[in-house]
Amino acid sequence: MASSILRFRKLCYVEPVNCFSDSKIKDPVGPIEKALPELRKQRKQRRGWRCWDMCCWTIGYMCTTWWLLLLLYHSVPLTLPGLQVPESPGLKLKNRGLSALHPVVLVPGIVTGGLELWEGRPCAEGLFRKRLWGGSFTEIFKRPLCWLEHLSLDNETGLDPPGIRVRAVPGLVAADYFAPGYFVWAVLIENLAKIGYEGKNLYMTAYDWRISFQNTEVRDQALSRLKSRIELMFVTNGYKKVVVVPHSMGSLYFLHFLKWVEAPPPMGGGGGLGWCAKHIKTVMNIGPAFLGVPRAVSNIFSAEARDIVFARAMASGFLNSDMFGLQTLERVLRVSRTWDSVISLLPKGGETVWGNLDWSPEENFACDPARKRLLQASSQANHSHPITNSSDGKLRFGVEDPIRFGRVISFGKDSSQLQSSQLKLNDFKELLRNRGNPKQSSCNGEVWTEYEDMSKESIQAIAENKAYTVESYLDLLRFAAPKMMKRAEAHFSHGIAENLDDPKYSHYKYWSNPLETKLPDAPDMEIHCLYGVGIPTERSYVYKLSTPSNKCKRIPFRIDDSANGNDGECLKNGVYFVDGDESVPVISTGYMCAKGWRGKTRFNPSGSPTRIREYQHKAPANLLEGRGFESGAHVDILGNVAMIEDIMRVAAGEELGGDRIYSDILSMSEQVNIRL
Amino acid sequence: MSMLRQRKPKPQLEEHEEEEEEEEEEKKKKKVRPTEDPPLKKRWSCVDSCCWFIGLICSIWWFLLFLYNAMPASFPQYVTEAITGPLPDPPGVKLQKEGLKAKHPVVFVPGIVTGGLELWEGHHCADGLFRKRLWGGSFGELYKRASLSLIPPGPLCWVEHLSLDNETGLDPPGIRVRPVTGLVAADYFAPGYFVWAVLIANLARIGYEEKTMYMASYDWRISFQNTEVRDQTLSRIKSNIELMVATNGGKKVVVIPHSMGVLYFLHFMKWVESPAPMGGGGGSDWCAKHIKAVMNIGGPFLGVPKAVTGLFSAEAKDVAVARALTPGFLDKDFFRLQTLLHVMRMTRTWDATMSMIPKGGDVIWGGHDWSPEEGYDCAPKKQKSNDTMITDSNGANGRQSQAEIVNYGRILSFGKDVAEAESSKIERTDFRGAVKGNNFANGTCQDVWTEYQDMGIGGIKAVADYKVYTAGSILDLLHFIAPKMMKRGDAHFSYGIAENLDDPEYQHYKYWSNPLETRLPHAPEMEIYSMYGVGIPTERAYVYKLSPTTDCNIPFQIDTSADGDDDSCLQGGVFLVNGDETVPVLSAGYMCAKGWRGKTRFNPSGIPTYVREYDHAPPATLLEGRGTQSGAHVDIMGNFALIEDIIRVAAGATGEDLGGDRVYSDIFKWSEKIKLRL
């Protein structure tokens, strides 16, 4: 069939005008082959020749020019004279005589790791061991539904659906580039290689970032593999302890690992007490989401993927369009709700950390650019003596009514700003009882978001409870998506431990919550928090009910993007912003290192030293710099020259200085009232 | 596009697209038409024709590409089935239907040449190649460097980075080239040229995945012990095997080495049980505890005659596939006249090639007048009989009377007549005492280091005057012509036969990869398979001549004019014998057929061994690609019968379940002729 079409096609090249009479379309082969000599004759007549030639000529001309330019581009030396590229930290440190000392383990975060297909449905034929996630994403466009089906997990178990096996890509290639040209770890790897790192002392932890942490061990033995790898590198590199560099959700994963490895066998790795002290020198968390991310809130609630890292930037058009027949967002919501790991990113610590209806640790944060400059000046002044002192926070006190960041979700702009006494609040527990009868839902539920099971009344009732804090939000989720929460809460917990010696805390679901676990007994193991600051970061949301045109096919809630504040306010398009690295607010990245683990606390009984290194965001000066050498953004920070230098110095055995702080993290931490 | 939606949908998708393109073309035409008419004839010049031509080709190309991408993935299979009839199920699917499930973890050990190498640190000319493959993959960089960068000669940069240090056999200063890790290291050697990929895909069908499959990739250029010294590769393999056994409920691993990987794994088994400073310190029962079976594919246990010519004259009747892939590149002028010299210089720095020099000397490979394979009939088989599972000796005798007797034992002979004459009639002078001159050491080719410059004319003549070399004297020859290389090699490999295996000298690692100088580990439950293709003429001995003397040439070359009769074993200066195109049957099969069979001194615990041969059947049509019944050295990795055997063992079967030996060649008869004390 194809070949006949092909032949047909070629004929059309020769004589495009006559090809398309209707009879010929119906039967492309027969008549045309008969007509072949005739066509050749006509070809000699110059009629119709020229326009076709002109087309060819134009295309040829363009191609040739393009190739010439390409050739020129390749022969031009890599560094243009105009562009000031800072000396790469690798070379700089090599010239200073540093060389590889401690083995380095990289732990990628959510979304950035590649996933490949090992077994699939018939629609995925030919994709064996090809990347479904990461790489070029061509499959999304070729067969979107098939793609989504393969990336979903089972609703009940949170593991593989029957007949589908999608696994993490192993090795450094797993997360060096997310997509062609979009680096994640590649810059760091290249710089490490300059001082002598290579496959034997540099390891990328591969784990399936969709499933819950403990399940990576149950299904893939990922934790065991990490343990065995660290032990091996420790031994083969002359008994040098490893430096671990987790990023984003990887920090939580590695926290989980730290507990797992010392826990006794059936549930844990059986490494015994002291394993961490023996094998780990430093944990250098990059942009760690220790206490969760507000973004996860909106993501789970309405799939408005103000994406967790950058899926949205990659596929913004694709999320909004009608490509999947009107249900894009619903399908995305459905898929991402099967990913347990997203739940690990929900804010932890409840109202104590994230604030209640009237109070939040960041309430004095100023979004006004003018005042920001002032702030920067003051913090730069502080830079000379690195630890900011909280007294200068007073400058900003009482200027305006503080923003109530504590209301993670509020329905309507007004209710995000009113005093709590004026707010209309319903009691949630009651709602839980009359959730509505699933049978009454009229949708034949192909799309599983659990919103179909909800009655109109209960949706209305949700919206009438005007504001939600982090804690009541969790209740809300339990109400709106009971199955998902049931699955997820077997693996994650979001509270604060009263008594860490309670035997229940030896369960694995607490291991990734820093407020419900003790750090291992390793007084020499250092914990660093490295993160960018100076970028507005989502902190809380203003929602509205979406237009109820078609109840089945809609997610009933939407971010109210018409809600904007005045110039100086932090509200933009329905989102309140606060200082952070674009994804994770400072309070989440910095609190544990600044306060929760500092000194000997109950979360850090052996007093492992902590250190904070903040990197002030500076946007790239021009396009040639790409994503910048001084970026503080959540992922782009992996190309930040200063941060790379810090990591390399630690890996080569040097001492870093003390804290380096630009934000108000210390004064914010003071306001968080946790017994330590 | 928007116009497309408004139109009435047509029944056929392809036609739909046709129309779409057609419309675009029409639109273009409309745009172009006003400008074209009067000035066209004047401007229509050569450049325009070129542009026109390029444009035409581009358009057609894009269109084909578009069709190709729009084509459903299973389309090629339909075409194939339409032509050749329904294909048999791949073994993975077949066995999955039988209900087999993944049981034992599997470990792949790739051979020489097939594993990828990537750059971690390089000289200036290799900027921008960080973590790019220098070996394997598309070899794109090789050609790109050659054509694009004008400044330093590109291929030389490549050669420089792949060479190792002459003295140490390790990295030259400032260069670090490391093996690619993971399954990608050797699944495809080049795009479309599978090595392990077919096996991996079939194993995945019955449930294998990353956690139960492990590619033990290592730097195949350096000597086996040095992979541990430099990269700790052996430790990593040990740790990974232990991990896989632990995480798979104590199921032992099935190891699948291929080609040189067979020797590498032999080395590993000794290393892992040896005490710590030199070995891995796993204790004397490590192999028994962790390994269920070793399934050697095409293993050159006793070496390959090809390795000799590779070292002697770089006439790389390549070790595996390099030559088939890059024939043009090995021919003369690519590197400015010195291709072979550069290749020789590069390969001579690779210690690993020396692991494949024939082992066991004259006892195994035959002397002047004797060889185990003598009487082999090289005439192409008229019919392929299925029932020659055990060769009947009558038929073999009948053939022997007709065929001339080939002196395979003379691995190198200078001149065809010498190769065929009786040994008493050959005049020889001993080369060993010959004085090496220094005649053309200061020639123009000093930068190329092959050690031939140091030999002088006297030395070369002495080599040629010795006329005939057997497996034993070849070692002396190599010591004579390349003393530095052999000094390096002697520290890592040995080629003899042990008199007394209890002698403490055999604890040294240089004996570990020679099956005739080591004992197998004490693991009576482990199984050893030797699986290899037969039925392809394989190089066994060579006729050499002196090459015309110019300064920079390699002084010896294969005398390609030496041909026998039609049915003769001599073709193009090479005596051929049965094998898998690279490894003769003798080398691949002897250890499992005889040397280790039962309780012998090389196999004190009586590990059961099995010989599984796969008779070569070339692919019937081009569409079959490299065939599903091939017996060639690398193509056998796609042989369905072999894959089925492997999957059955991985799913728990034993050698007896497979049906024991499966033999097409004369390996048992030949093994009987070898007088080795067992």
Side-chain angles (χ1 to χ4, degrees), chain A residues 389-432:
Chain A
N389 93 47
S390 58
S391 67
D392 67 8
K394 277 175 192 161
L395 280 174
R396 286 163 258 141
F397 256 89
V399 182
E400 284 171 41
D401 200 21
I403 299 168
R404 295 178 166 86
F405 288 116
R407 301 173 186 178
V408 171
I409 285 182
S410 27
F411 279 90
K413 185 184 166 188
D414 299 340
S415 44
S416 72
Q417 289 166 340
L418 283 175
Q419 298 266 323
S420 64
S421 51
Q422 294 163 288
L423 267 179
K424 184 172 174 248
L425 297 172
N426 291 350
D427 186 10
F428 242 91
K429 313 299 170 207
E430 256 175 56
L431 274 172
L432 281 169

Side-chain angles (χ1 to χ4, degrees), chain A residues 460-602:
Chain A
Q460 203 62 43
I462 286 175
E464 269 164 25
N465 183 25
K466 288 297 179 188
Y468 295 87
T469 65
V470 170
E471 267 170 40
S472 55
Y473 173 72
L474 284 176
D475 290 334
L476 170 63
L477 273 188
R478 279 177 204 124
F479 173 66
K483 288 183 205 157
M484 175 189 73
M485 288 306 280
K486 191 173 157 232
R487 206 181 63 225
E489 293 205 317
H491 287 285
F492 298 106
S493 166
H494 300 93
I496 299 178
E498 268 313 300
N499 173 14
L500 281 165
D501 292 324
D502 191 328
K504 80 165 175 171
Y505 287 114
S506 60
H507 190 271
Y508 61 77
K509 77 177 188 179
Y510 300 102
W511 288 347
S512 60
N513 181 353
L515 299 175
E516 289 178 308
T517 43
K518 287 177 191 157
L519 285 182
D521 180 30
D524 294 330
M525 181 178 85
E526 290 180 35
I527 296 181
H528 295 207
C529 291
L530 306 94
Y531 53 90
V533 293
I535 309 182
T537 306
E538 296 166 36
R539 175 66 169 83
S540 58
Y541 301 89
V542 178
Y543 263 85
K544 64 177 179 189
L545 282 176
S546 59
T547 41
S549 61
N550 180 348
K551 180 179 155 284
C552 305
K553 308 224 162 182
R554 287 275 159 193
I555 297 168
F557 310 105
R558 290 230 154 279
I559 290 178
D560 182 4
D561 31 358
S562 64
N564 272 313
N566 304 324
D567 269 355
E569 281 185 39
C570 296
L571 180 62
K572 245 183 227 156
N573 296 332
V575 181
Y576 282 100
F577 289 99
V578 75
D579 197 10
D581 70 357
E582 200 173 12
S583 289
V584 189
V586 168
I587 189 80
S588 175
T589 48
Y591 175 75
M592 289 316 290
C593 284
K595 187 96 190 293
W597 286 332
R598 180 123 317 174
K600 272 196 190 184
T601 69
R602 64 190 182 109

Side-chain angles (χ1 to χ4, degrees), chain A residues 1-3 5-6 8-10 12-13 16-17 19-20 22 25-28 43 46 48-61 63-64 67 71 74-75 78 94 116 118-119 125-126 128-129 142-143 160 165 167-173 176-177 186 189-200 202 217-221 224-226 228-229 232 236-237, chain B residues 10 12 14-15 17-19 21-22 25-26 28-29 32-33 35-37 40-41 43-44 47-56 58-60 62-64 67 69 73-75 77 96 118 120-121 127-128 130-131 144 148 171 176 178 181-184 187-188 197 200-211 213 228-232 235-237 239-240 243 247-248:
Chain A
M1 183 62 208
S3 64
I5 285 167
L6 226 153
F8 177 55
R9 174 72 211 172
K10 270 187 190 163
C12 292
Y13 270 92
V17 184
C19 282
F20 279 82
D22 276 348
I25 287 181
K26 272 172 201 156
D27 182 4
R43 192 186 161 197
R46 284 225 156 187
W49 235 100
R50 288 176 190 163
C51 64
W52 180 238
D53 287 341
M54 281 308 287
C55 280
C56 282
W57 178 83
T58 323
I59 294 173
Y61 189 71
C63 285
T64 321
W67 287 332
L71 190 77
H74 276 292
S75 47
L78 278 177
K94 190 186 176 188
E116 61 188 12
W118 277 86
E119 184 182 344
E125 200 182 328
F128 177 65
R129 286 184 59 221
K142 273 196 187 170
R143 28 194 154 175
D160 292 322
R165 280 185 290 152
R167 295 289 179 266
V169 176
L172 290 176
V173 285
D176 56 349
Y177 289 92
I189 292 172
E190 188 161 356
N191 280 299
L192 283 171
K194 292 252 167 63
I195 61 167
Y197 280 92
E198 59 192 45
K200 68 176 171 187
L202 183 60
E217 170 66 13
V218 171
R219 196 190 71 180
D220 299 335
Q221 285 84 45
S224 299
R225 288 162 87 171
L226 179 58
S228 137
R229 216 24 174 351
L232 173 70
T236 56
N237 286 287
Chain B
K10 295 278 175 194
Q12 295 263 334
E14 287 91 340
E15 284 174 9
E17 282 150 2
E18 290 291 296
E19 280 190 324
E21 293 224 339
E22 186 59 30
E25 280 154 19
E26 275 170 10
K28 275 183 205 159
K29 263 180 261 162
V32 174
R33 193 165 280 153
T35 60
E36 81 182 284
D37 284 329
L40 184 72
K41 273 174 194 167
R43 284 188 301 157
W44 199 259
V47 178
D48 291 320
S49 311
C50 280
C51 287
W52 175 85
F53 187 66
I54 293 173
L56 184 70
C58 283
S59 319
I60 294 176
W62 287 333
F63 178 70
L64 289 180
L67 270 191
N69 278 322
S74 53
F75 187 75
Q77 204 191 335
Q96 187 198 18
E118 61 188 12
W120 277 84
E121 183 182 343
D127 274 352
F130 176 67
R131 284 183 59 224
K144 207 165 148 195
L148 268 182
D171 292 323
R176 279 183 294 150
R178 295 289 179 266
T181 55
L183 292 177
V184 285
D187 54 351
Y188 289 93
I200 292 172
N202 280 297
L203 282 169
R205 293 273 186 181
I206 65 163
Y208 279 91
E209 55 191 70
E210 199 73 43
K211 66 176 172 181
M213 282 196 277
E228 171 66 14
V229 172
R230 195 191 71 181
D231 300 336
Q232 283 85 45
S235 300
R236 284 159 85 168
I237 295 174
S239 146
N240 259 308
L243 173 69
T247 55
N248 285 287

Side-chain angles (χ1 to χ4, degrees), chain A residues 119-132:
Chain A
E119 184 182 344
R121 301 265 155 82
C123 71
E125 200 182 328
L127 293 183
F128 177 65
R129 286 184 59 221
K130 297 268 187 328
R131 283 199 181 193
L132 291 187

